[in-house]
Amino acid sequence: MTKLEQIEKSVAALSPEDLMAFAAWFEALQADMWDRQIEADAKSGRLDKLAEQALADHRAGRTRPL
């Protein structure tokens, strides 16, 4: 049995309360991982082209207020 299969089996066996707690923890983990990836991408310059394009679109009047 792989690690993933073991985890799936363990999660499936959780009580409803523990499953809710696990789901909340996992959601927070994913959000933290996403934040760290975006920060790393920004620091490395991977987002510079997108930012430049967004600013150019805004200056050209191709945006609208949210």
Side-chain angles (χ1 to χ4, degrees), residues 22-59:
F22 173 77
W25 169 83
F26 191 70
E27 183 178 345
L29 174 68
Q30 287 181 304
D32 184 56
M33 291 172 66
W34 173 261
D35 289 345
R36 284 186 274 138
Q37 183 64 54
I38 290 294
E39 186 176 329
D41 288 348
K43 284 182 181 178
S44 72
R46 287 188 192 124
L47 302 177
D48 291 353
K49 252 186 167 177
L50 292 172
E52 289 168 12
Q53 183 62 49
L55 290 171
D57 286 344
H58 182 67
R59 285 191 287 269

Side-chain angles (χ1 to χ4, degrees), residues 10-24:
S10 295
V11 169
L14 291 174
S15 69
E17 295 81 16
D18 286 343
L19 183 58
M20 286 178 57
F22 173 77

